[in-house]
Amino acid sequence: METSEYMNIDPRGIEEKSMQIISRELSHLKITGELEPVIKRIVHTTADFEYAHLVEAHPDALTNGNKALLNSCKIYADTSMIIAGTSKPSLHELGCEIHCYVHDENVIQKARDQGKTRSICSIDEASADRDFKVFIIGNAPTALNRICELVDEGRLKPDLVIGVPVGFVGAAESKERLKQTGIPYIITRGRKGGSTVGVAIINAMLYNLVKNK
């Protein structure tokens, strides 16, 4: 298709056309099953086909995560960007809420008093509320490590952790640690990830559930 042809696409058809291109370019990988829309949504968000090889999920990840979402759970996100990007109509349709405590005054104060990062203290805050069943970590490896610590201590048992922190220090290692906890997870192996990837994953799940509700 020529550039001029792309310019004339109805805006409502841009995503559909993008998904057709993604499906065609991923066809040689024969991606199937419930993880397919997740991978395609990440590629759509990032325009990076390497994610098709980096996404890894626990066998129970989507089953447990979907069940929690259908039961109107709370979702914890480690950045405001994740909250901004998550589909509000889909959350409303399923009766779910999404929160981030990193900027809360009490979390900021605890971080100062305890000499810890706000990301760690915000996970401690969220873990006290058992209604948080899904955690999305797109930025802070320290937050993902704290989740792992709480799981190992028996103080937290989420239904799904989307662990996709990005970076060069601790990001890849925190994802590998999450895998060892036995908690259902979706990760992107290695350094790549980020809040936009976390948004892509949760939105893929939400869109699919709303479509099939």
Side-chain angles (χ1 to χ4, degrees), residues 149-170:
E149 290 174 354
L150 293 172
V151 168
D152 289 343
E153 294 169 6
R155 296 166 57 190
L156 182 64
K157 191 176 181 180
D159 290 335
L160 172 65
V161 177
I162 298 171
V164 292
V166 61
F168 296 96
V169 180

Side-chain angles (χ1 to χ4, degrees), residues 1-10:
M1 183 181 287
E2 298 295 333
T3 301
S4 60
E5 292 180 82
Y6 281 120
M7 296 298 290
N8 292 325
I9 294 178
D10 185 316

Side-chain angles (χ1 to χ4, degrees), residues 14-130:
I14 292 175
E15 181 174 324
E16 181 181 352
K17 185 63 181 178
S18 296
M19 287 301 186
Q20 290 173 1
I21 294 169
I22 291 167
S23 295
R24 184 173 66 244
E25 296 200 24
L26 289 177
S27 60
H28 68 287
L29 296 178
K30 295 181 173 57
I31 300 170
T32 59
E34 290 186 310
L35 203 57
E36 180 183 8
V38 171
I39 292 173
K40 288 182 176 179
R41 180 65 55 179
I42 295 173
V43 173
H44 178 263
T45 298
T46 62
D48 186 346
F49 284 90
E50 187 182 1
Y51 278 106
H53 303 282
L54 299 180
V55 176
E56 180 180 334
H58 183 281
D60 298 327
L62 290 171
T63 299
N64 282 25
N66 287 338
K67 183 178 179 181
L69 294 170
L70 286 171
N71 286 329
S72 304
C73 72
K74 285 185 179 180
I75 304 166
Y76 184 77
D78 75 326
T79 68
S80 299
M81 186 184 296
I82 292 174
I83 293 178
T86 301
S87 171
K88 304 307 182 294
S90 298
L91 289 171
H92 179 74
E93 179 74 18
L94 296 174
C96 295
E97 299 177 5
I98 186 166
H99 300 273
C100 176
Y101 293 149
V102 171
H103 302 292
D104 285 12
E105 286 299 326
N106 63 319
V107 168
I108 293 171
Q109 189 60 52
K110 285 180 181 178
R112 288 172 181 162
D113 293 342
Q114 298 175 16
K116 298 178 180 177
T117 68
R118 285 186 289 164
S119 294
I120 290 174
C121 291
S122 64
I123 293 298
D124 288 341
E125 186 81 7
S127 68
D129 186 342
R130 298 302 181 186

